Amino acid sequence: MQHGKYRFIVGFLVVPLALYALFVLWPFVQAIFYSFTNWSGLSPDFQMIGFDNYTRMFEDEIFWKALRHSLIFAVVLPLLTIGLALFFAFMLNVGGRARKGAAVTGVRGSGFYKIVYFFPQVLSIAIVALLFKFAYNPTDGVLNSLLRAIGLDSVQPDWLGDPDLALICVMVVLVWSTVGFFVVLFSAGMASIPKDFYEAALLDGANRFTTFFRITLPLLWDTVQSGWIYMGILALGAESFAVVHIMTVGPRGGGPDFSTIVLPLYVYQNAFGPGQAAYATTIGVALLIVTLLFATVVMRLGRRERLEY
């Protein structure tokens, strides 16, 4: 009987695991292999060169700029996005004044606010990047037009053309486009917390600040940790690539003076620009290591005793 059970389990797992190995694990193995070669990506011919690509990468100033910017994204973007999402979700679900016999409720119009916060998720990240690129236009963009309208003609920043501002402008777009998803995620988590906990806290005289840090955050911690890892991966991956590539200046994005270059974009530039696919896979391996280290650090630092209710 036990033997038949195991055969049944293996029969169901063998096909999904084979597909996972073929389409997920095997590309990683190929990327690591090609990082030790001299391969253009345009032909099947390649030459083994050992660690030359890694030596070149460690001596590449643009790589270190891209790595620094990606690490800034991985640290700052989750902090801002998760923090704002927790605040908005708390106010929408718990932060309102008591009314109609309900001791715990969200702010008035919370249903409408949820739609407003989630609206950016309906738009493609490419559309969002284009909209903000027009808004940041120094000549006729929305931001500088508003500054002129209120009499600040002398304050006309070149938002995406200033190396000191460009990276901040990109981060603002990423926060705006992703915070709504986490508002919905945390709202779902808060809805599952028994209202009795909040009502008991109110009877004991707890304010919103105490209620959040003593009840909401501890009971929502697993969701917050998962959201932190997910946001960090977004910041290190496709989201940052799309926004930087579309919004920033330069022949292939990442400017000015590589002030917004990130690792995914640098991989793309090397693979499809000068045709240095092997060097691009080397940078991709570095990005993989950074992503794994980020997830490991967040899981280790966020480890705590699980609370159940």
Side-chain angles (χ1 to χ4, degrees):
M1 188 68 179
Q2 291 293 327
H3 181 66
K5 182 181 73 173
Y6 291 132
R7 268 194 314 186
F8 179 79
I9 295 173
V10 171
F12 267 94
L13 290 179
V14 64
V15 174
L17 288 177
L19 292 174
Y20 182 81
L22 178 63
F23 293 106
V24 178
L25 297 181
W26 181 241
F28 283 112
V29 174
Q30 285 183 307
I32 295 172
F33 172 77
Y34 281 118
S35 69
F36 294 101
T37 67
N38 182 15
W39 179 50
S40 68
L42 303 176
S43 72
D45 301 325
F46 61 87
Q47 177 185 3
M48 298 298 297
I49 58 174
F51 288 91
D52 289 358
N53 283 327
Y54 289 93
T55 302
R56 174 186 170 185
M57 182 179 70
F58 289 130
E59 296 174 351
D60 188 349
E61 293 183 2
I62 301 177
F63 165 76
W64 289 109
K65 281 188 176 182
L67 177 61
R68 182 171 67 251
H69 297 155
S70 290
L71 290 177
I72 291 173
F73 278 20
V75 173
V76 177
L77 286 178
L79 182 64
L80 293 176
T81 306
I82 300 298
L84 286 172
L86 281 171
F87 172 76
F88 291 145
F90 182 76
M91 296 306 294
L92 293 176
N93 291 273
V94 187
R97 295 180 180 275
R99 59 181 183 271
K100 294 183 180 179
V104 179
T105 184
V107 297
R108 292 186 182 276
S110 58
F112 172 75
Y113 292 137
K114 288 179 182 179
I115 296 174
V116 172
Y117 293 144
F118 191 74
F119 175 74
Q121 294 296 309
V122 180
L123 302 176
S124 164
I125 188 64
I127 300 299
V128 171
L130 283 173
L131 290 174
F132 273 88
K133 184 176 182 179
F134 294 143
Y136 284 133
N137 189 298
T139 304
D140 53 3
V142 174
L143 295 179
N144 282 359
S145 297
L146 288 175
L147 291 175
R148 287 193 295 269
I150 60 177
L152 296 176
D153 300 70
S154 60
V155 182
Q156 297 289 295
D158 187 1
W159 300 98
L160 297 176
D162 187 341
D164 296 327
L165 291 176
L167 192 67
I168 298 174
C169 292
V170 170
M171 292 173 65
V172 168
V173 176
L174 287 169
V175 171
W176 183 86
S177 64
T178 54
V179 70
F181 170 81
F182 293 99
V183 169
V184 174
L185 177 67
F186 296 147
S187 294
M190 291 178 190
S192 65
I193 299 176
K195 299 294 185 183
D196 295 346
F197 292 179
Y198 293 112
E199 292 173 357
L202 290 175
L203 290 175
D204 290 338
N207 55 26
R208 289 188 181 92
F209 183 85
T210 304
T211 302
F212 176 78
F213 283 101
R214 294 292 185 179
I215 297 177
T216 304
L217 188 58
L219 294 177
L220 204 64
W221 185 254
D222 289 343
T223 305
V224 172
Q225 186 182 45
S226 300
W228 196 286
I229 296 173
Y230 179 65
M231 183 60 209
I233 293 174
L234 286 181
L236 290 169
E239 295 284 314
S240 62
F241 163 77
V243 174
V244 172
H245 181 57
I246 293 172
M247 290 182 60
T248 54
V249 300
R252 297 188 301 273
D257 192 27
F258 300 105
S259 60
T260 59
I261 190 75
V262 288
L263 286 178
L265 180 59
Y266 198 41
V267 171
Y268 169 81
Q269 290 178 349
N270 281 278
F272 298 100
Q276 299 179 2
Y279 185 54
T281 60
T282 306
I283 303 170
V285 171
L287 177 59
L288 171 64
I289 294 173
V290 169
T291 304
L292 292 176
L293 287 175
F294 169 80
T296 302
V297 169
V298 172
M299 292 181 68
R300 295 280 295 182
L301 294 178
R303 182 180 298 172
R304 58 187 295 173
E305 182 180 355
R306 181 167 183 168
L307 298 177
E308 296 184 358
Y309 50 91

